[in-house]
């Protein structure tokens, strides 16, 4: 995903609730490893268990 698109996605991610953040993180195509990492850094740590459950 190009830089401009990713910046828009990050803004959307920041403003979403936990469910929306999980959906963006798991369903957005064409993200590279550093973009996934950047989104994960924006994810609220206290809710990390909900994201982990998605991958079980």
């Amino acid at each position: 995903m190009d830089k401009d698109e990713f910046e828009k996605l990050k803004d959307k991610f920041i403003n979403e609730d936990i469910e929306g953040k999980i959906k963006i993180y798991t369903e957005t195509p064409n993200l590279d490893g550093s973009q996934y990492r950047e989104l994960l850094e924006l994810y609220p740590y206290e809710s990390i268990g909900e994201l982990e459950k998605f991958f079980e």
Side-chain angles (χ1 to χ4, degrees):
M1 176 175 291
D2 73 33
K3 186 177 179 176
D4 290 334
E5 284 181 82
F6 183 66
E7 288 302 316
K8 290 177 188 173
L9 181 70
K10 269 188 0 183
D11 289 340
K12 182 177 178 184
F13 185 85
I14 289 167
N15 293 310
E16 286 286 340
D17 61 10
I18 296 303
E19 212 171 278
K21 288 180 190 325
I22 291 172
K23 185 173 182 173
I24 290 171
Y25 192 83
T26 58
E27 296 180 7
T28 302
N30 302 322
L31 293 175
D32 63 31
S34 65
Q35 290 170 330
Y36 277 115
R37 193 170 28 259
E38 199 168 334
L39 290 179
L40 191 57
E41 289 173 2
L42 297 171
Y43 191 87
Y45 182 76
E46 64 274 1
S47 299
I48 201 74
E50 291 179 54
L51 181 60
E52 288 175 338
K53 285 179 189 175
F54 185 85
F55 291 106
E56 289 179 348

